[in-house]
Amino acid sequence: KNQVEQSPQSLIILEGKNCTLQCNYTVSPFSNLRWYKQDTGRGPVSLTIMTFSENTKSNGRYTATLDADTKQSSLHITASQLSDSASYICVVSSIKAAGNKLTFGGGTRVLVKP
Amino acid sequence: GAVVSQHPSRVICKSGTSVKIECRSLDFQATTMFWYRQFPKQSLMLMATSNEGSKATYEQGVEKDKFLINHASLTLSTLTVTSAHPEDSSFYICSARGISGDFYEQYFGPGTRLTVT
């Protein structure tokens, strides 16, 4: 069964500090891995997307890593800002005959405090 | 580019009534749209996949007669919650599939908060 697990479920960090979110997956066949940011009461917004051959990808203060061998990914937030308070969702895409199918992780809720 | 809108953003309805939610891809054509439901502090759960001009494919456990999906054009899909009950109260999010570079990307709408009283 395809699964995506994220940790921690939630975390609180002080403004200006860094943090790292984890994502482990068992999805086959693997197509790509995405990180989304979801503000409360809003739809998810894509941060990064990585294929099997990519180890790291950055989007501003967000840096995602992927280890396809161990099936792990991380999202690192540098110099956090209050606006980073949101849920971060790891999503893995698998290749199906009818098109890509997404498997969602449970998300990590990040709260940045001043 | 790649903007997906939903209407309404919030709706409150009485138990037993029906509610229609619209999902539009504003600047691209989407042959495939998806409908998700999200309960508080949980991740998105796929309800159904909607292909333009054909019947929607529902996920296991989702009642097709209760959640009616219509995808009549390449830019519009609608979800109608029929005979709504309080347990249908949730955050409903649609997404539309488009092409971004080498990938099929899913662009998510802003969501619709449904409250059934």
Side-chain angles (χ1 to χ4, degrees):
Chain A
K1 180 183 177 183
N2 289 343
Q3 285 187 314
V4 177
E5 296 188 355
Q6 293 185 240
S7 61
Q9 283 190 328
S10 62
L11 72 111
I12 300 173
I13 58 174
L14 292 177
E15 186 179 13
K17 298 296 185 181
N18 304 334
C19 68
T20 300
L21 317 179
Q22 301 292 339
C23 172
N24 296 337
Y25 63 92
T26 54
V27 174
S28 182
F30 175 87
S31 175
N32 55 73
L33 184 145
R34 309 142 185 249
W35 282 94
Y36 286 89
K37 177 186 179 188
Q38 184 180 22
D39 293 311
T40 300
R42 306 291 294 174
V45 174
S46 180
L47 294 176
T48 63
I49 180 169
M50 289 183 292
T51 61
F52 182 89
S53 60
E54 295 176 291
N55 300 121
T56 184
K57 184 164 281 189
S58 293
N59 178 357
R61 293 178 298 100
Y62 300 104
T63 299
T65 66
L66 173 64
D67 186 333
D69 292 330
T70 61
K71 297 187 178 181
Q72 295 180 323
S73 175
S74 67
L75 180 69
H76 186 76
I77 304 176
T78 303
S80 60
Q81 300 177 358
L82 297 179
S83 59
D84 293 330
S85 295
S87 284
Y88 293 83
I89 306 172
C90 176
V91 182
V92 181
S93 175
S94 63
I95 304 167
K96 298 291 184 182
N100 289 14
K101 184 174 177 64
L102 302 184
T103 303
F104 287 76
T108 294
R109 291 184 297 281
V110 175
L111 176 61
V112 181
K113 288 191 170 183
Chain B
V3 177
V4 175
S5 70
Q6 280 184 244
H7 178 80
S9 57
R10 288 175 177 270
V11 57
I12 301 173
C13 71
K14 292 187 177 180
S15 187
T17 62
S18 295
V19 174
K20 180 185 284 189
I21 302 170
E22 291 186 350
C23 175
R24 293 181 184 273
S25 56
L26 296 185
D27 49 3
F28 67 103
Q29 293 184 330
T31 55
T32 304
M33 289 185 172
F34 304 86
W35 286 96
Y36 296 85
R37 182 165 52 183
Q38 185 177 33
F39 293 106
K41 297 186 179 181
Q42 294 186 22
S43 194
L44 283 71
M45 292 173 48
L46 180 65
M47 298 175 67
T49 301
S50 164
N51 291 299
E52 186 264 339
S54 63
K55 291 184 179 180
T57 303
Y58 290 81
E59 294 298 301
Q60 193 172 10
V62 178
E63 300 175 57
K64 65 174 85 174
D65 294 331
K66 181 169 185 61
F67 299 99
L68 301 180
I69 291 172
N70 183 280
H71 192 164
S73 79
L74 289 172
T75 58
L76 173 64
S77 176
T78 61
L79 167 68
T80 301
V81 183
T82 62
S83 187
H85 290 285
E87 56 265 31
D88 298 324
S89 298
S90 188
F91 192 52
Y92 291 87
I93 303 174
C94 74
S95 72
R97 183 156 70 193
I99 294 178
S100 174
D102 297 329
F103 303 104
Y104 281 113
E105 181 62 87
Q106 278 198 32
Y107 301 98
F108 290 86
T112 296
R113 172 75 59 194
L114 170 63
T115 303
V116 184
T117 61

